[in-house]
Amino acid sequence: MRAMEIQGAYGIDNLKLADRPVPKAGPGQVVIRMKAASLNFRDLATVSGTYGPGHKLPLVPLSDGSGEVVEVGEGVRRLKVGDRVAPSFFQGWLSGDPVPETLGTTALGGPIDGCAQEYMCLSAEGVSKAPANLSHEEIACLPCAALTAWRALVVEGRMKAGDTVLVQGTGGVSIFALQFAKAAGARVIVTSSSDEKLERARKLGADDFINYRTTPDWATEARKLTGGRGVDHVVEVGGADTFPQSIMASRVGGHVGVIGLLSGMTRDVNVAAIFSQNLKISGVTVGSRAHFEDMTRAIEQNDIHPVIDKRFGLEEAQDALRLMAGASHFGKIVLEI
């Protein structure tokens, strides 16, 4: 089978096409014929060698994917041959609260080989049936990006109709957050440096827009848009440089879901503002299999379809990662396998 591997050293130029044997299912396992994979910022950082500790090479990257079960091992009851499925990002986080053992060692795309390959052999417990209303390319967008947005707003934020949600940018997580918020009856404010992208967000149902290049103090603008009250939820993907404004944009008792590190990892924090505004700050690293299956039902019920910006072939993974590095995409970047 074909697989993309990081070979020898980290760096996009070291991501190479390789031949690997097709795996066989052991007891409790399934083999999936992968149909598509999608890119997240984590994948770019992993391939580049800037994300977390270095993993053993060669490594197959990409955390998000979809496929069809082609073999089931002894004892498997959850799945059958022919099921359309998505592997869980955290193979060991099935339900309940996260624990270090599941977060540190069971993530796809590092340290476990990821979805940029034609076949995967995984525990049947680490795989979920996919929404019936989506294509494989759309399903491949769900396990990380969609689930992160879902957990930030629905699980941790307990979003409800009438809430105001501020999403930063128009990448994969932010667009999913926009779609989930509108399905729940919430008002959505979108920030971006591009008026063109803001217009595309309007067509997806966004209500208000802030260009942070022309309005760098976007927290004050967000408060103006809410009559001085502040927003109920911020989907914080920016990291250190945007977090202070996320705090100031939030209402008293509001919620900030911290899910991204695009602008850095550390900065002085306005503890007084967090304290005085009684803010809830949640760190959100994707979610469990149970969260994914809840989200699947919501996607089917509301007929939500991921927004795919560009498609590439498996062997074009380098080009796909360079597109992500340029940050010009809107929604998701997908590899067709």
Side-chain angles (χ1 to χ4, degrees):
M1 70 169 182
R2 296 177 303 152
M4 296 299 296
E5 294 179 343
I6 309 168
Q7 297 180 354
Y10 285 94
I12 292 177
D13 290 340
N14 295 319
L15 186 61
K16 306 289 187 182
L17 190 65
D19 288 326
R20 288 190 170 199
V22 175
K24 300 293 291 180
Q29 295 180 325
V30 294
V31 173
I32 305 166
R33 171 63 173 94
M34 300 301 292
K35 300 291 188 178
S38 75
L39 274 61
N40 298 287
F41 181 78
R42 178 188 190 269
D43 303 312
L44 174 63
T46 297
V47 173
S48 301
T50 60
Y51 182 85
H55 302 301
K56 183 179 179 181
L57 301 181
L59 174 70
V60 176
L62 305 194
S63 303
D64 271 2
S66 72
E68 181 178 307
V69 175
V70 294
E71 183 186 357
V72 297
E74 181 183 353
V76 173
R77 299 290 182 266
R78 295 185 66 247
L79 302 166
K80 65 182 185 303
V81 171
D83 282 344
R84 299 190 321 145
V85 296
S88 298
F89 171 60
F90 288 119
Q91 286 287 291
W93 187 9
L94 305 183
S95 62
D97 293 332
V99 296
E101 291 77 13
T102 61
L103 298 187
T105 62
T106 72
L108 292 181
I112 299 173
D113 279 336
C115 298
Q117 53 185 323
E118 289 186 300
Y119 292 87
M120 296 183 74
C121 182
L122 299 169
S123 167
E125 297 300 314
V127 177
S128 294
K129 292 181 181 178
N133 61 319
L134 302 186
S135 68
H136 275 295
E137 290 78 13
E138 292 172 324
I139 296 164
C141 301
L142 301 181
C144 288
L147 188 54
T148 297
W150 174 266
R151 183 176 159 218
L153 291 176
V154 178
V155 180
E156 305 297 339
R158 299 181 180 180
M159 175 181 62
K160 63 184 184 301
D163 282 356
T164 299
V165 176
L166 185 146
V167 302
Q168 296 174 352
T170 55
V173 174
S174 296
I175 294 301
F176 276 119
L178 162 59
Q179 292 175 300
F180 291 145
K182 294 309 299 179
R187 175 188 180 188
V188 179
I189 302 170
V190 179
T191 70
S192 175
S193 62
S194 165
D195 287 337
E196 178 187 0
K197 289 182 177 180
L198 290 174
E199 174 59 22
R200 293 180 69 180
R202 182 189 69 78
K203 293 178 179 177
L204 289 174
D207 301 281
D208 296 288
F209 317 92
I210 305 172
N211 186 316
Y212 62 78
R213 293 214 184 274
T214 57
T215 309
D217 184 8
W218 53 264
T220 297
E221 183 64 18
R223 283 195 163 272
K224 289 180 182 177
L225 290 170
T226 56
R229 179 176 181 267
V231 303
D232 297 284
H233 309 272
V234 178
V235 179
E236 166 56 66
V237 304
D241 288 352
T242 55
F243 186 59
Q245 290 212 61
S246 293
I247 293 171
M248 301 313 297
S250 300
R251 69 165 172 85
V252 172
H255 171 245
V256 180
V258 181
I259 66 173
L261 303 169
L262 297 175
S263 66
M265 300 185 185
T266 58
R267 182 172 174 152
D268 292 339
V269 175
N270 189 341
V271 177
I274 296 173
F275 168 76
S276 63
Q277 292 179 222
N278 289 265
L279 295 185
K280 303 175 184 69
I281 311 295
S282 301
V284 181
T285 51
V286 197
S288 69
R289 190 187 80 191
H291 294 148
F292 182 90
E293 292 172 352
D294 288 343
M295 179 187 71
T296 291
R297 289 190 289 273
I299 287 172
E300 290 180 340
Q301 179 67 29
N302 293 280
D303 196 26
I304 294 171
H305 289 263
V307 176
I308 297 175
D309 187 80
K310 293 286 190 303
R311 292 172 170 84
F312 294 83
L314 177 64
E315 67 281 0
E316 298 174 305
Q318 286 190 9
D319 295 333
L321 286 164
R322 291 190 178 101
L323 175 64
M324 170 160 276
S328 63
H329 60 290
F330 182 97
K332 295 293 289 179
I333 300 168
V334 168
L335 299 184
E336 297 173 334
I337 301 176

Coordinates of all heavy atoms in Angstrom, one line a residue, residues 226-277:
T226 N -22.6 43.8 20.9 CA -23.5 43.1 21.8 C -24.0 44.1 22.8 O -24.5 43.8 23.9 CB -22.7 42.0 22.6 OG1 -21.5 42.6 23.2 CG2 -22.3 40.9 21.7
G227 N -24.0 45.4 22.5 CA -24.6 46.5 23.3 C -23.8 46.6 24.6 O -24.4 47.1 25.6
G228 N -22.5 46.3 24.6 CA -21.7 46.5 25.8 C -21.7 45.2 26.7 O -20.9 45.2 27.7
R229 N -22.5 44.2 26.4 CA -22.6 43.1 27.3 C -21.4 42.1 27.2 O -20.9 41.6 28.1 CB -23.9 42.3 26.9 CG -24.1 41.0 27.7 CD -25.5 40.4 27.4 NE -25.8 39.2 28.1 CZ -25.5 38.0 27.7 NH1 -24.9 37.8 26.5 NH2 -25.8 36.9 28.4
G230 N -20.9 42.0 26.0 CA -19.9 41.0 25.7 C -20.5 39.7 25.2 O -21.7 39.5 25.2
V231 N -19.6 38.8 24.6 CA -20.1 37.6 24.0 C -20.2 36.5 25.0 O -19.4 36.5 26.0 CB -19.2 37.2 22.8 CG1 -19.1 38.3 21.8 CG2 -17.8 36.8 23.3
D232 N -21.0 35.5 24.7 CA -21.2 34.3 25.6 C -20.0 33.4 25.5 O -19.6 32.7 26.5 CB -22.5 33.6 25.4 CG -23.7 34.5 25.6 OD1 -24.0 34.7 26.8 OD2 -24.2 35.1 24.7
H233 N -19.5 33.2 24.3 CA -18.5 32.2 24.0 C -17.5 32.7 23.0 O -17.9 33.4 22.0 CB -19.1 30.9 23.3 CG -20.3 30.3 24.1 ND1 -20.1 29.4 25.1 CD2 -21.6 30.6 23.9 CE1 -21.4 29.1 25.5 NE2 -22.3 29.8 24.8
V234 N -16.2 32.5 23.3 CA -15.2 32.8 22.3 C -14.5 31.4 21.9 O -14.1 30.7 22.8 CB -14.1 33.7 22.9 CG1 -13.0 34.0 21.8 CG2 -14.7 35.0 23.3
V235 N -14.4 31.2 20.6 CA -13.6 30.0 20.2 C -12.2 30.5 19.9 O -12.0 31.1 18.8 CB -14.3 29.4 18.9 CG1 -13.5 28.2 18.4 CG2 -15.7 28.9 19.3
E236 N -11.3 30.3 20.8 CA -10.0 30.9 20.8 C -9.0 30.0 20.1 O -8.5 29.1 20.7 CB -9.6 31.2 22.3 CG -8.2 31.6 22.6 CD -7.7 32.7 21.7 OE1 -8.2 33.9 22.0 OE2 -6.8 32.5 20.9
V237 N -8.7 30.4 18.9 CA -7.8 29.6 18.1 C -6.4 30.3 17.9 O -5.4 29.6 17.5 CB -8.3 29.2 16.7 CG1 -9.6 28.5 16.8 CG2 -8.4 30.4 15.8
G238 N -6.3 31.5 18.3 CA -5.1 32.3 18.0 C -4.0 32.0 18.9 O -2.8 32.0 18.5
G239 N -4.3 31.8 20.2 CA -3.2 31.6 21.1 C -2.8 32.8 21.9 O -3.6 33.7 22.3
A240 N -1.5 33.0 22.2 CA -1.0 34.0 23.1 C -1.4 35.4 22.7 O -1.7 36.2 23.6 CB 0.5 33.8 23.3
D241 N -1.3 35.7 21.4 CA -1.5 37.1 21.0 C -3.0 37.5 21.0 O -3.3 38.7 21.2 CB -1.0 37.3 19.6 CG 0.6 37.3 19.6 OD1 1.2 37.4 20.7 OD2 1.1 37.4 18.5
T242 N -3.9 36.5 20.9 CA -5.3 36.9 20.8 C -6.0 36.6 22.2 O -7.1 37.2 22.4 CB -6.0 36.0 19.7 OG1 -5.8 34.6 19.9 CG2 -5.5 36.4 18.4
F243 N -5.5 35.8 23.0 CA -6.1 35.5 24.3 C -6.5 36.7 25.1 O -7.6 36.7 25.7 CB -5.3 34.5 25.1 CG -5.9 34.0 26.3 CD1 -7.1 33.2 26.2 CD2 -5.4 34.2 27.6 CE1 -7.7 32.7 27.4 CE2 -5.9 33.6 28.7 CZ -7.1 32.9 28.6
P244 N -5.7 37.7 25.3 CA -6.1 38.9 26.1 C -7.3 39.5 25.5 O -8.2 40.0 26.3 CB -4.9 39.8 26.0 CG -3.7 38.9 25.7 CD -4.2 37.8 24.9
Q245 N -7.5 39.6 24.2 CA -8.7 40.3 23.7 C -9.9 39.3 23.8 O -11.0 39.8 24.0 CB -8.5 40.6 22.2 CG -7.5 41.8 22.0 CD -7.9 42.6 20.8 OE1 -9.0 43.2 20.8 NE2 -7.0 42.7 19.9
S246 N -9.7 38.0 23.8 CA -10.8 37.1 24.0 C -11.4 37.3 25.4 O -12.6 37.3 25.6 CB -10.3 35.7 23.8 OG -10.0 35.4 22.5
I247 N -10.5 37.5 26.4 CA -11.0 37.8 27.7 C -11.8 39.0 27.8 O -12.9 39.1 28.4 CB -9.8 37.9 28.7 CG1 -9.0 36.5 28.8 CG2 -10.2 38.4 30.1 CD1 -7.7 36.6 29.6
M248 N -11.3 40.1 27.1 CA -12.0 41.4 27.2 C -13.3 41.4 26.4 O -14.2 42.2 26.6 CB -11.1 42.5 26.7 CG -9.8 42.6 27.6 SD -10.1 42.6 29.4 CE -11.1 44.1 29.6
A249 N -13.4 40.5 25.4 CA -14.6 40.5 24.5 C -15.7 39.7 25.2 O -16.9 39.8 24.8 CB -14.3 39.8 23.2
S250 N -15.4 39.0 26.3 CA -16.4 38.1 26.9 C -17.3 38.8 27.9 O -16.8 39.8 28.6 CB -15.7 36.9 27.6 OG -14.9 36.2 26.7
R251 N -18.5 38.3 28.0 CA -19.4 38.9 29.1 C -19.0 38.4 30.4 O -18.2 37.4 30.6 CB -20.8 38.5 28.7 CG -21.1 37.0 28.9 CD -22.6 36.7 29.0 NE -22.9 35.3 29.0 CZ -23.0 34.6 30.1 NH1 -22.7 35.1 31.3 NH2 -23.3 33.3 30.0
V252 N -19.6 39.0 31.5 CA -19.5 38.5 32.8 C -20.1 37.1 32.8 O -21.2 36.9 32.4 CB -20.2 39.4 33.8 CG1 -20.2 38.7 35.2 CG2 -19.5 40.7 33.9
G253 N -19.3 36.1 33.3 CA -19.7 34.7 33.3 C -19.6 34.0 32.0 O -20.1 32.9 31.8
G254 N -18.9 34.6 31.0 CA -18.7 34.0 29.7 C -17.7 32.9 29.7 O -17.1 32.6 30.7
H255 N -17.6 32.3 28.5 CA -16.8 31.1 28.4 C -15.8 31.3 27.2 O -16.2 31.7 26.1 CB -17.6 29.9 28.1 CG -16.8 28.7 27.7 ND1 -16.9 28.1 26.5 CD2 -16.0 27.9 28.4 CE1 -16.1 27.0 26.5 NE2 -15.5 26.9 27.6
V256 N -14.5 31.0 27.4 CA -13.5 31.0 26.4 C -13.0 29.6 26.2 O -12.4 29.0 27.2 CB -12.3 32.0 26.8 CG1 -11.3 32.0 25.6 CG2 -12.8 33.4 27.0
G257 N -13.2 29.0 25.1 CA -12.6 27.7 24.8 C -11.3 27.9 24.1 O -11.2 28.3 22.9
V258 N -10.2 27.5 24.7 CA -8.9 27.7 24.2 C -8.5 26.4 23.5 O -8.3 25.4 24.0 CB -7.9 28.0 25.3 CG1 -6.5 28.2 24.8 CG2 -8.3 29.2 26.1
I259 N -8.3 26.6 22.1 CA -8.1 25.4 21.3 C -6.9 25.5 20.4 O -6.6 24.5 19.7 CB -9.3 25.0 20.5 CG1 -9.6 26.1 19.5 CG2 -10.5 24.8 21.4 CD1 -10.7 25.8 18.5
G260 N -6.3 26.7 20.3 CA -5.2 26.8 19.3 C -4.1 27.7 19.8 O -4.2 28.4 20.8
L261 N -2.9 27.5 19.1 CA -1.7 28.2 19.5 C -1.1 28.8 18.3 O 0.2 28.9 18.2 CB -0.7 27.2 20.1 CG -1.2 26.4 21.3 CD1 -0.3 25.2 21.6 CD2 -1.4 27.3 22.5
L262 N -1.9 29.3 17.4 CA -1.3 29.9 16.1 C -0.4 31.0 16.3 O 0.6 31.2 15.5 CB -2.5 30.3 15.2 CG -3.5 29.2 14.7 CD1 -4.6 29.8 14.0 CD2 -2.7 28.2 13.9
S263 N -0.6 31.8 17.3 CA 0.3 33.0 17.5 C 1.2 32.9 18.7 O 1.9 33.8 19.1 CB -0.6 34.3 17.7 OG -1.3 34.2 19.0
G264 N 1.4 31.7 19.2 CA 2.3 31.5 20.3 C 1.7 30.8 21.5 O 0.4 30.6 21.6
M265 N 2.5 30.5 22.5 CA 2.1 29.7 23.6 C 2.0 30.4 24.9 O 1.3 30.0 25.8 CB 3.0 28.4 23.7 CG 3.0 27.5 22.5 SD 4.0 26.0 22.8 CE 3.9 25.3 21.2
T266 N 2.8 31.4 25.1 CA 2.9 32.1 26.4 C 2.8 33.6 26.3 O 3.3 34.2 25.3 CB 4.2 31.7 27.1 OG1 5.3 32.1 26.3 CG2 4.3 30.2 27.4
R267 N 2.2 34.2 27.3 CA 2.1 35.6 27.4 C 1.5 35.9 28.7 O 0.8 35.1 29.3 CB 1.1 36.2 26.3 CG 1.0 37.7 26.3 CD 0.3 38.2 25.0 NE 0.1 39.6 25.1 CZ -0.1 40.4 24.1 NH1 0.0 39.9 22.9 NH2 -0.3 41.7 24.2
D268 N 1.7 37.2 29.2 CA 1.1 37.6 30.5 C -0.4 37.5 30.4 O -1.0 37.9 29.3 CB 1.5 39.0 30.8 CG 3.0 39.1 31.1 OD1 3.6 38.1 31.5 OD2 3.6 40.2 31.1
V269 N -1.0 37.0 31.4 CA -2.5 36.9 31.4 C -3.1 37.9 32.4 O -2.6 38.1 33.5 CB -2.8 35.4 31.9 CG1 -4.3 35.3 32.0 CG2 -2.3 34.4 30.9
N270 N -4.2 38.5 31.9 CA -4.9 39.4 32.8 C -5.8 38.7 33.8 O -7.0 38.5 33.5 CB -5.8 40.4 31.9 CG -6.4 41.5 32.7 OD1 -6.5 41.5 33.9 ND2 -6.8 42.5 31.9
V271 N -5.2 38.3 34.8 CA -5.9 37.5 35.8 C -7.0 38.3 36.5 O -8.1 37.7 36.8 CB -4.9 37.0 36.9 CG1 -5.6 36.2 38.0 CG2 -3.8 36.1 36.3
A272 N -6.8 39.6 36.6 CA -7.9 40.4 37.3 C -9.1 40.4 36.4 O -10.2 40.3 37.0 CB -7.3 41.8 37.4
A273 N -9.0 40.4 35.1 CA -10.2 40.4 34.2 C -10.9 39.1 34.3 O -12.1 39.0 34.3 CB -9.8 40.7 32.8
I274 N -10.1 38.0 34.3 CA -10.7 36.7 34.5 C -11.5 36.5 35.8 O -12.6 36.1 35.8 CB -9.6 35.6 34.4 CG1 -9.0 35.6 33.0 CG2 -10.2 34.2 34.7 CD1 -7.8 34.6 32.9
F275 N -10.9 37.1 36.8 CA -11.5 37.0 38.1 C -12.7 37.9 38.2 O -13.8 37.4 38.6 CB -10.5 37.5 39.2 CG -11.0 37.7 40.5 CD1 -11.3 36.7 41.4 CD2 -11.2 39.0 41.0 CE1 -11.9 36.9 42.7 CE2 -11.7 39.3 42.3 CZ -12.0 38.2 43.1
S276 N -12.6 39.1 37.8 CA -13.7 40.1 38.0 C -14.9 39.7 37.1 O -16.1 40.0 37.4 CB -13.2 41.5 37.7 OG -12.8 41.7 36.4
Q277 N -14.6 39.2 35.9 CA -15.7 38.8 35.0 C -16.2 37.4 35.2 O -17.1 36.9 34.5 CB -15.2 39.0 33.5 CG -15.0 40.4 33.2 CD -14.5 40.6 31.7 OE1 -13.7 41.4 31.5 NE2 -15.1 39.9 30.8

